[in-house]
Amino acid sequence: RRPLNRIGILAAGNAPFPADAFGNVAGATQVTLMRRLDAPVASRWLSIALRRALLSRVDTPAGLNGADFAAERAWLLIRMGEADAARAMVQSVDIQNYTPKLFQIGMQAMLATADPGGMCPMVVPALRTAPDRNWRFAEAMCAGLEGDPSKAGPLIDSARRRMSNSI
């Protein structure tokens, strides 16, 4: 079990930012800055520094859920073209602590790294926490990857019916 008060990872050989790198900047301000940043960043050096800041094990700001903070950081990494780093950020949180936002970004990170099978451990808790029709398709896909066509077929048919009814 990993705590949510300090989340992050950093590849070997890269010096991390300190845990209190963002000081007392409000969580809402940090989230707003990450969402408004036009990515990818034009400067190579700025991109490297931003990637290191996003991946460092930093304190979760007051007023933010650690899983949501990880999701925001992962989403910016995806937009920067750092899909592998985003996936690592998503996976730095234990699945039982995922929020609907982290499930959503987790799916994007797995698809961006061309590893749809990476969604399989998330399917059951995602359907309980964030019942989205995309997770129904992931459920069927994972059943197919498990090699159980009797389970995958009905799930795919059910997901198709739900999609056609919602259109």
Side-chain angles (χ1 to χ4, degrees), residues 4 11 29 40 43 47 50 57-58 73 76 81 100 105 107 116 120-121 130 138-139 141 146 156 163 165:
L4 293 175
T29 303
S43 166
S47 182
L50 181 58
R57 259 179 90 73
V58 295
R73 292 159 63 188
L76 179 52
I105 302 305
M107 178 181 278
C120 295
E139 180 184 33
M141 179 205 58
E146 289 175 9
I156 291 172
M163 290 289 287
N165 291 338

Side-chain angles (χ1 to χ4, degrees), residues 102-164:
L102 190 55
F103 279 118
Q104 179 185 24
I105 302 305
M107 178 181 278
Q108 296 302 318
M110 296 310 148
L111 293 173
T113 56
D115 183 16
M119 292 184 287
C120 295
M122 292 187 257
V123 168
V124 172
L127 287 171
R128 279 194 300 256
T129 306
D132 181 286
R133 63 183 176 203
N134 295 325
W135 286 108
R136 291 286 172 201
F137 277 115
E139 180 184 33
M141 179 205 58
C142 291
L145 290 173
E146 289 175 9
D148 188 355
S150 64
K151 184 178 173 185
L155 288 171
I156 291 172
D157 293 338
S158 173
R160 282 185 187 147
R161 279 193 298 281
R162 282 192 201 100
M163 290 289 287
S164 65

Side-chain angles (χ1 to χ4, degrees), residues 18-74:
D20 62 351
F22 301 117
N24 292 328
V25 177
T29 303
Q30 291 183 43
V31 168
T32 300
L33 288 172
M34 286 188 279
R35 288 182 183 175
R36 290 187 180 175
L37 183 70
D38 288 329
V41 181
S43 166
R44 179 175 185 260
W45 294 109
L46 180 60
S47 182
I48 290 168
L50 181 58
R51 180 180 187 272
R52 284 183 45 218
L54 292 170
L55 288 174
S56 292
R57 259 179 90 73
V58 295
D59 295 334
T60 299
L64 273 186
N65 179 299
D68 287 339
F69 188 49
E72 293 292 347
R73 292 159 63 188

Side-chain angles (χ1 to χ4, degrees), residues 87-109:
R87 176 189 171 140
M89 178 59 65
V90 167
Q91 291 177 329
S92 72
V93 177
D94 294 328
I95 288 180
Q96 65 267 19
N97 293 328
Y98 277 31
T99 60
K101 185 183 296 186
L102 190 55
F103 279 118
Q104 179 185 24
I105 302 305
M107 178 181 278
Q108 296 302 318

